[in-house]
């Protein structure tokens, strides 16, 4: 028997608590008293029956009565019957104790169970009855006493198949996966043939081990050879392969098994959804319905997350209607929770609330789903109100899942001013040690700008799960600490080798913006490769993030290639690709994409038109942009917002139509926030040196946003360009008085596994001296070819030669020099900058690209500049 299946298990660090040796010494009775008084008190028994009744009833009648009550789920009555038997002197037999112990296990009454255990020994069944011993193993399993399970099993003299099944099932319940496999091996060594129930438990153990696939395949092969591949076994194998990510095996099993039932279908659907194979899950659901298999609540709740992730509202509504039709939703709080989640993910919060209100038996899961739905859609006041209603009006106490949604709402809600007080509430309720709550607190402190506290919580968490790592990465990205985000990702990948932890779609969509911000193309490509290997690249979230990353790293061709490979695109995906073409100055392509988007029946939103106007602005397509602006409500059903007005002001102002832009601001509705529009106008005045309107724009901006440094800087720059040095100095003096500091120019370039950062005028980089020396040499070659430094870009009243020195220290020039010196000839140089590139750097980079024969891709805060052979893709229009 043992030669049929060989499990190659790693050695255990400690010996198992059970042994293969058969022992014949009794288990010591527990300290708990076995007196009838205590048993009676436990179950509140009535007085025993009269002697006359007892004489008219045989022992078989009492035992049959006890067993019948257990089968009818009359558990306390069954215990009362047992006590009546004992009082009347009727001795329980080998059939009474298993039924009684099952009743006590279902009652989850450990104290009572231990008293019954003592009675087992008292009546002589402690060492001789394997049936009673097996039931005791199951009792202690259900009551959560791992030590007692092992002790009882270890003292069974003649273990049968049920004994081993009970032990292996118990070990799985306690998540002792390796021990469960070792027990299975011991069972084979004892020449006890496993049943399908044994193999189901073993398959579960395999699914929870990193090396479980090999063992699981051996179990699969064994079940085929022994002919025990029934529906229970197939369902267990489908679940195992699904959890181990081997969906191909799941599909083969389903296709080759004629006896598939509802559980088989549900297991496959659940596995597909857990592995984010959402489109296939919908396909199998349709196949299941066509085969005439009627779904249940589990089916509906398994596939609704597909509609949530893909934002397939129409499909979600169809499934909702199907569930109503076949009765799967009747007062089902679990399915109701899935529906609420689906509608909230599809931005239909009102529909979600309608489902919530229609369910009267509201379990905590349903409350949590509705609160989470409000929170994720930023209906924060509603989330907090429902939370208060849940606790105060319905008496349902919040759990850790509730607080994981409430904490973010507290952070965002203006009505909740003392944000950190929620941390105190969490601690007061004793929920502070929960990992999910700690993740929410990390996120809260990150958003409050207290990343150091988030780091402290993160560092103290010993049992970090994937959400913990994702939350810390998100915190760094939100705080614009992109280098730290990449560092934590690297640390997470090292940690992955020690734990069953793999970056998922959330990790990728969170970290890719850091690659984009730092122009870290090599790291972004590495993440892209990982996403392809793990079947994540074509999902909406990861695919959209990859499009954005490639676009912001200057690889528009790759961005479009990824976009075309995404099977189901949402409005975010379209917005990202339109913005990509816009920032590269391809305005006509962006407009063509808008038209294609409409053909695909994807409704544009506010962000779509921000992207379109930006594309028109960078391409000089003023008339086309204005036409779309004046028709966006009638043609596209989107009402212009303050952001749209700001974009159109930029569109006009960049083209030199500053007066027209100024007049447009005067037509903006009074209740709109005009800060963005005034900022666009001030930037246009800086480009075109319009002092009069620039002063008006600056005055309005400083009144609206007195702490924003860029407003003062632009005004000072306008004065400096006009030679009004005193006024420029006065503006800088006001900045100093108010404590407003200018953001220094900063550029990044990726080389190897590092992203190198350069700050204007800074000499802290290890190669700083070498870079400045190289730029001086390059400067002379540029002059020979006709380069004249544009000293008007130096906004300080200093001598011309000193201005030239300052120009040479601009961050993008240092980054470009680093790229030339540290990469092989012909390599494309990619640099990102946090501010708008100045006129001199733009002109200088054209000369550099020609002299060194390199393509230089420079991304500033507004758009991309592709320099090649002495020209720029922007055509000097930026």
């Amino acid at each position: 028997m043992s030669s049929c299946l060989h499990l190659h298990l790693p050695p255990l660090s400690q010996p198992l608590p059970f042994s293969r040796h058969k022992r014949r010494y009794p288990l010591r009775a527990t300290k708990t008293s076995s007196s009838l008084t205590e048993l009676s008190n436990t179950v509140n028994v009535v007085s025993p029956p009269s002697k006359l009744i007892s004489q008219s009833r045989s022992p078989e009648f009492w035992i049959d009565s006890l067993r019948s009550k257990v089968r009818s789920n009359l558990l306390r009555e069954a215990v009362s019957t047992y006590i009546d038997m004992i009082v009347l002197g009727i001795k329980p037999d080998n059939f009474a104790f298993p039924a009684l112990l099952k009743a006590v296990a279902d009652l989850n009454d450990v104290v009572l169970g231990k008293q019954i255990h003592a009675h087992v020994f008292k009546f002589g069944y402690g060492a001789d009855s394997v049936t009673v011993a097996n039931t005791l193993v199951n009792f202690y399993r259900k009551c959560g006493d791992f030590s007692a399970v092992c002790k009882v099993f270890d003292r069974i003299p003649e273990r049968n198949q049920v004994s081993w099944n009970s032990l292996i099932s118990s070990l799985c319940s306690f998540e002792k996966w390796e021990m469960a496999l070792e027990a299975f091996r011991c069972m084979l060594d004892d020449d006890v043939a496993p049943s399908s129930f044994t193999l189901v438990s073993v398959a579960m153990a395999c699914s929870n081990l990193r090396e479980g696939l090999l063992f699981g395949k051996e179990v699969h092969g064994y079940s085929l050879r022994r002919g025990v591949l029934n529906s229970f076994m197939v369902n267990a194998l489908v679940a195992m392969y699904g959890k181990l990510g081997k969906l191909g095996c799941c599909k083969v099993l389903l296709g080759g098994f004629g006896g598939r039932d509802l559980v088989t279908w549900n297991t496959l659907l659940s596995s597909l959804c857990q592995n984010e194979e959402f489109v296939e899950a919908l396909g199998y659901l349709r196949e299941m319905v066509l085969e005439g298999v009627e779904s249940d609540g589990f089916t509906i709740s398994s596939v609704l997350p597909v509609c949530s992730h893909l934002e397939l509202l129409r499909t979600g509504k169809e499934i909702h209607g199907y569930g109503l039709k076949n009765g799967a939703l009747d007062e089902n709080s679990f399915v109701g929770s899935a529906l609420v989640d689906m509608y909230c993910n599809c931005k239909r919060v009102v529909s979600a609330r309608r489902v919530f209100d229609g369910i009267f038996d509201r379990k905590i899961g349903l409350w949590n789903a509705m609160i989470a739905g409000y929170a994720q859609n930023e209906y924060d006041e509603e989330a907090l109100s429902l939370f208060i209603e849940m606790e105060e009006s319905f008496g349902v106490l919040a759990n850790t899942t509730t607080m994981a949604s409430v904490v973010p709402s507290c952070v965002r809600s203006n009505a909740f001013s003392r944000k950190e007080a929620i941390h105190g509430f969490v601690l007061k309720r004793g929920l502070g040690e929960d990992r999910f709550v700690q993740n929410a607190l990390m996120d809260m402190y990150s958003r409050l700008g207290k990343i150091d506290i988030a780091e402290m919580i993160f560092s103290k968490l010993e049992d970090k799960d994937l959400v913990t790592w994702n939350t810390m990465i998100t915190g760094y990205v939100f705080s614009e600490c992109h280098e730290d985000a990449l560092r934590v990702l690297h640390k997470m990948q090292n940690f992955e080798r020690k734990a069953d932890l793999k970056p998922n779609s959330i990790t990728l969509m969170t970290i890719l913006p850091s690659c984009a911000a730092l122009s870290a193309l090599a790291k972004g490509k590495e993440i892209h490769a990982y996403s392809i290997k793990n079947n994540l690249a074509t999902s909406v979230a990861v695919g959209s993030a990859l499009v954005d990353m490639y676009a912001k790293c200057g690889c528009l061709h790759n961005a479009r290639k990824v976009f075309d490979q995404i099977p189901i695109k949402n409005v975010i995906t379209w917005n990202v690709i339109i913005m990509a073409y816009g920032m590269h100055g391809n305005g006509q392509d962006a407009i063509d994409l808008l038209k294609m988007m409409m053909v695909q029946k994807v409704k544009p939103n506010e962000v779509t038109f921000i992207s379109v106007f930006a594309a028109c602005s960078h391409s000089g397509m003023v008339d086309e942009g204005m036409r779309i602006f004046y028709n966006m409500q009638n043609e596209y059903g989107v009402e212009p917002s303050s952001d749209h007005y700001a974009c159109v002001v930029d569109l006009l102002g960049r083209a030199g139509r500053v007066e027209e832009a100024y007049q447009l601001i005067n037509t903006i509705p009074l209740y709109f926030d005009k800060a963005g529009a005034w900022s666009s106008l001030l930037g246009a005045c800086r480009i075109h040196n319009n002092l009069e309107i620039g002063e008006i724009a600056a005055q309005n901006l400083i009144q609206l946003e007195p702490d924003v440094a860029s407003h003062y800087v632009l005004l000072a720059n306008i004065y400096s360009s006009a030679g009004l040095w005193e006024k420029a100095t006065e503006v800088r003096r006001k900045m100093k008085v108010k404590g407003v500091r200018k953001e220094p120019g900063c550029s990044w370039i990726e080389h190897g596994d590092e992203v190198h950062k350069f700050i204007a005028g800074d000499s802290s980089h290890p190669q700083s001296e070498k870079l400045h020396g190289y730029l001086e040499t390059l400067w002379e070659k540029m002059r020979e070819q006709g380069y004249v430094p544009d000293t008007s870009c130096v906004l300080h009243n200093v001598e011309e030669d000193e201005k030239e020195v300052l120009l040479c220290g601009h961050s993008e020039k240092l980054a470009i020099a680093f790229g030339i010196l540290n990469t092989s000839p012909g390599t494309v140089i990619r640099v990102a900058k946090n501010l708008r590139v100045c006129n001199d750097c733009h002109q200088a980079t054209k000369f550099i690209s020609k002299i060194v024969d390199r393509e230089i891709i420079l991304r500033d805060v507004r758009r991309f500049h592709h320099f090649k052979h002495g020209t720029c893709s922007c055509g000097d229009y930026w």
Side-chain angles (χ1 to χ4, degrees):
M1 177 69 67
S2 60
S3 62
C4 295
L5 180 64
H6 300 282
L7 292 178
H8 307 288
L9 291 162
L12 295 172
S13 56
Q14 292 180 347
L16 292 168
F18 52 85
S19 164
R20 301 180 196 177
H21 303 295
K22 300 173 184 178
R23 298 175 185 165
R24 293 189 176 275
Y25 50 86
L27 177 71
R28 284 194 293 267
T30 61
K31 293 181 181 178
T32 309
S33 169
S34 61
S35 69
L36 291 177
T37 307
E38 288 198 31
L39 278 172
S40 301
N41 291 339
T42 306
V43 293
N44 299 319
V45 216
V46 294
S47 56
S50 65
K51 204 170 197 180
L52 183 63
I53 296 174
S54 70
Q55 290 172 346
S56 64
R57 293 175 177 173
S58 66
E60 290 77 10
F61 167 84
W62 285 100
I63 293 168
D64 287 345
S65 174
L66 188 155
R67 297 175 69 188
S68 174
K69 286 173 182 175
V70 173
R71 285 194 296 268
S72 302
N73 208 34
L74 301 172
L75 307 178
R76 293 199 175 277
E77 290 83 349
V79 177
S80 297
T81 300
Y82 172 76
I83 294 171
D84 290 344
M85 287 172 56
I86 302 304
V87 169
L88 293 169
I90 297 171
K91 182 180 178 182
D93 65 6
N94 197 41
F95 300 103
F97 282 117
L100 179 62
L101 284 166
K102 182 184 183 305
V104 177
D106 290 344
L107 289 169
N108 201 27
D109 192 331
V110 183
V111 174
L112 179 59
K114 287 183 176 180
Q115 293 178 49
I116 301 296
H117 192 171
H119 274 217
V120 167
F121 275 91
K122 180 178 179 181
F123 289 103
Y125 295 104
D128 298 327
S129 175
V130 67
T131 306
V132 175
N134 294 341
T135 315
L136 279 167
V137 170
N138 282 318
F139 161 73
Y140 283 116
R141 172 182 64 82
K142 286 186 177 180
C143 293
D145 193 336
F146 173 66
S147 175
V149 165
C150 296
K151 287 177 181 176
V152 171
F153 178 82
D154 205 32
R155 288 159 176 77
I156 299 175
E158 297 293 335
R159 299 163 188 159
N160 60 15
Q161 187 186 78
V162 178
S163 307
W164 286 104
N165 286 353
S166 299
L167 175 68
I168 295 169
S169 173
S170 298
L171 292 171
C172 290
S173 295
F174 292 111
E175 298 184 3
K176 307 288 186 181
W177 312 116
E178 287 190 1
M179 291 175 66
L181 293 183
E182 176 65 12
F184 179 49
R185 190 164 62 187
C186 294
M187 176 183 183
L188 296 176
D189 288 347
D190 271 4
D191 289 330
V192 179
S195 66
S196 60
F197 294 105
T198 321
L199 298 176
V200 164
S201 296
V202 172
M204 180 190 294
C206 293
S207 70
N208 286 280
L209 289 170
R210 295 189 71 183
E211 65 277 15
L213 183 61
L214 174 63
F215 310 146
K217 285 182 175 180
E218 290 180 356
V219 171
H220 187 177
Y222 180 84
S223 64
L224 284 168
R225 289 193 300 273
R226 302 296 297 178
V228 291
L229 202 64
N230 56 25
S231 60
F232 296 108
M233 193 63 220
V234 169
N235 296 341
L237 288 170
V238 169
M240 178 195 75
Y241 283 124
K243 196 165 184 181
L244 294 171
K246 298 298 178 183
L247 297 178
C249 298
C250 296
K251 297 168 195 173
V252 169
L253 272 168
L254 182 80
F257 182 59
R260 53 195 182 193
D261 56 12
L262 177 60
V263 178
T264 316
W265 285 102
N266 284 350
T267 306
L268 177 65
L269 290 172
S270 177
S271 297
L272 289 167
C273 293
Q274 287 169 6
N275 286 275
E276 301 186 3
E277 294 290 341
F278 301 123
V279 177
E280 280 201 83
L282 288 178
Y284 275 102
L285 175 65
R286 291 189 184 95
E287 186 180 336
M288 169 185 157
V289 172
L290 290 173
E291 282 198 9
V293 180
E294 191 169 304
S295 65
D296 62 1
F298 187 84
T299 318
I300 302 298
S301 58
S302 291
V303 295
L304 279 171
V306 173
C307 305
S308 297
H309 281 87
L310 300 180
E311 296 183 20
L312 298 175
L313 178 62
R314 183 175 177 179
T315 306
K317 285 181 174 180
E318 289 177 4
I319 293 171
H320 187 178
Y322 176 74
L324 287 169
K325 183 179 177 182
N326 69 9
L329 307 185
D330 295 342
E331 284 301 309
N332 191 321
S333 182
F334 188 61
V335 178
S337 302
L339 276 169
V340 167
D341 181 67
M342 184 275 293
Y343 280 118
C344 287
N345 276 344
C346 293
K347 315 300 179 191
R348 296 295 190 274
V349 181
V350 175
S351 299
R353 184 59 191 255
R354 200 174 293 127
V355 171
F356 175 84
D357 290 338
I359 298 175
F360 299 104
D361 182 22
R362 297 174 191 158
K363 304 289 193 296
I364 183 67
L366 181 61
W367 286 98
N368 287 345
M370 193 67 245
I371 292 170
Y374 276 137
Q376 73 189 38
N377 285 281
E378 299 191 7
Y379 285 64
D380 298 311
E381 281 70 26
E382 289 84 349
L384 295 174
S385 296
L386 189 64
F387 164 60
I388 294 167
E389 181 184 347
M390 178 185 87
E391 287 230 338
E392 294 190 355
S393 302
F394 288 84
V396 179
L397 293 180
N399 62 12
T400 54
T401 306
T402 320
M403 297 314 301
S405 298
V406 169
V407 170
S409 289
C410 291
V411 176
R412 292 188 299 263
S413 174
N414 293 327
F416 195 84
S417 56
R418 296 177 62 241
K419 312 292 186 187
E420 290 158 272
I422 195 67
H423 194 170
F425 176 84
V426 164
L427 294 174
K428 185 178 178 181
R429 284 292 181 88
L431 305 174
E433 295 300 314
D434 180 79
R435 189 172 60 222
F436 297 105
V437 177
Q438 288 178 318
N439 292 340
L441 290 170
M442 284 164 54
D443 181 70
M444 178 187 81
Y445 284 113
S446 299
R447 294 180 186 279
L448 292 176
K450 300 183 178 182
I451 192 71
D452 54 329
I453 301 179
E455 287 174 335
M456 183 180 69
I457 296 172
F458 178 77
S459 63
K460 288 183 177 179
L461 262 168
E462 292 184 6
D463 186 22
K464 297 180 180 73
D465 65 356
L466 187 56
V467 178
T468 309
W469 289 95
N470 287 349
T471 304
M472 194 66 247
I473 292 170
T474 304
Y476 281 128
V477 174
F478 182 84
S479 304
E480 297 185 1
C481 302
H482 300 296
E483 296 96 331
D484 291 317
L486 290 172
R487 176 181 53 78
V488 170
L489 176 66
H490 180 70
K491 190 177 178 182
M492 174 186 175
Q493 289 171 314
N494 290 335
F495 185 79
E496 179 190 341
R497 301 187 186 101
K498 303 175 186 176
D500 189 13
L501 191 73
K502 288 177 67 177
N504 63 359
S505 58
I506 305 296
T507 319
L508 304 191
M509 64 181 283
T510 302
I511 197 64
L512 282 167
S514 286
C515 299
L518 299 173
S519 229
L521 179 61
K523 190 65 182 175
K525 284 184 173 181
E526 182 185 323
I527 292 168
H528 188 185
Y530 175 89
S531 70
I532 292 171
K533 184 180 177 182
N534 291 276
N535 298 316
L536 300 173
T538 55
S539 71
V540 175
V542 176
S544 301
L546 283 166
V547 172
D548 183 64
M549 182 275 295
Y550 277 120
K552 288 179 178 174
C553 288
C555 298
L556 187 57
H557 173 74
N558 286 1
R560 182 57 186 264
K561 190 175 178 181
V562 172
F563 173 82
D564 290 337
Q565 290 172 349
I566 301 172
I568 299 177
K569 305 173 181 72
N570 64 8
V571 67
I572 297 172
T573 318
W574 286 96
N575 289 349
V576 168
I577 194 66
I578 291 171
M579 180 62 80
Y581 277 99
M583 71 172 65
H584 284 268
N586 299 354
Q588 188 57 55
D589 290 319
I591 291 173
D592 291 342
L593 281 163
L594 174 64
K595 293 174 183 175
M596 193 187 304
M597 179 182 182
M598 297 299 293
V599 171
Q600 296 288 332
K601 300 189 184 307
V602 179
K603 182 176 169 53
N605 60 13
E606 289 188 4
V607 179
T608 313
F609 289 98
I610 291 172
S611 303
V612 168
F613 294 140
C616 292
S617 179
H618 294 311
S619 305
M621 300 174 64
V622 181
D623 294 337
E624 183 67 16
M626 295 304 295
R627 187 195 67 77
I628 294 172
F629 175 69
Y630 286 121
N631 291 286
M632 61 187 284
Q633 189 166 6
N634 293 332
E635 285 190 27
Y636 304 99
V638 178
E639 189 175 344
S641 69
S642 57
D643 289 330
H644 297 131
Y645 276 98
C647 290
V648 175
V649 168
D650 180 72
L651 172 68
L652 293 167
R654 195 178 297 274
R657 294 158 65 169
V658 178
E659 280 283 350
E660 195 177 338
Y662 176 48
Q663 293 303 323
L664 180 64
I665 290 178
N666 292 329
T667 68
I668 296 176
L670 293 175
Y671 56 88
F672 275 18
D673 179 9
K674 296 184 181 181
W678 284 118
S679 180
S680 296
L681 184 62
L682 182 60
C685 292
R686 167 70 184 94
I687 294 170
H688 299 288
N689 296 316
N690 191 316
L691 178 59
E692 182 184 354
I693 295 179
E695 285 184 317
I696 295 169
Q699 287 167 8
N700 281 280
L701 272 172
I702 290 170
Q703 187 177 353
L704 290 168
E705 298 176 340
D707 298 325
V708 178
S710 61
H711 306 333
Y712 298 91
V713 172
L714 282 172
L715 180 59
N717 291 353
I718 292 171
Y719 284 140
S720 299
S721 296
L724 301 173
W725 298 108
E726 289 184 5
K727 286 193 173 184
T729 304
E730 177 61 21
V731 172
R732 291 195 180 92
R733 188 191 66 79
K734 285 182 180 178
M735 286 179 67
K736 193 172 183 180
V737 169
K738 292 189 175 184
V740 179
R741 300 188 64 181
K742 176 184 179 294
E743 183 181 8
C746 181
S747 296
W748 297 269
I749 182 169
E750 183 185 32
H751 178 60
D753 291 332
E754 286 187 73
V755 175
H756 294 261
K757 183 177 179 179
F758 297 90
I759 299 173
D762 183 31
S763 58
S764 60
H765 192 275
Q767 296 185 28
S768 181
E769 187 176 342
K770 183 179 178 182
L771 298 178
H772 282 282
Y774 177 75
L775 283 173
E776 286 178 18
T777 305
L778 199 58
W779 209 259
E780 295 303 320
K781 293 180 182 179
M782 289 160 59
R783 282 180 182 277
E784 290 173 5
Q785 296 202 15
Y787 165 69
V788 178
D790 185 355
T791 54
S792 67
C793 297
V794 179
L795 304 170
H796 298 280
N797 191 12
V798 294
E799 296 297 327
E800 286 296 306
D801 57 345
E802 192 173 343
K803 287 183 179 181
E804 291 187 20
V805 173
L806 291 171
L807 286 173
C808 195
H810 279 195
S811 63
E812 56 266 59
K813 289 192 181 85
L814 293 170
I816 290 168
F818 176 86
I820 295 169
L821 292 175
N822 290 276
T823 59
S824 56
T827 305
V828 177
I829 296 169
R830 302 173 191 277
V831 174
K833 187 180 180 182
N834 65 333
L835 303 176
R836 183 180 184 272
V837 63
C838 74
N839 291 346
D840 180 73
C841 286
H842 189 269
Q843 186 70 6
T845 307
K846 288 196 288 186
F847 278 92
I848 294 170
S849 69
K850 184 178 181 181
I851 292 169
V852 301
D853 193 22
R854 295 281 196 105
E855 181 181 358
I856 301 171
I857 300 175
L858 173 61
R859 188 192 80 212
D860 69 9
V861 73
R862 292 282 187 175
R863 62 160 296 156
F864 270 91
H865 301 269
H866 293 254
F867 298 94
K868 196 171 184 179
H869 305 312
T871 61
C872 180
S873 61
C874 73
D876 295 338
Y877 184 87
W878 84 103

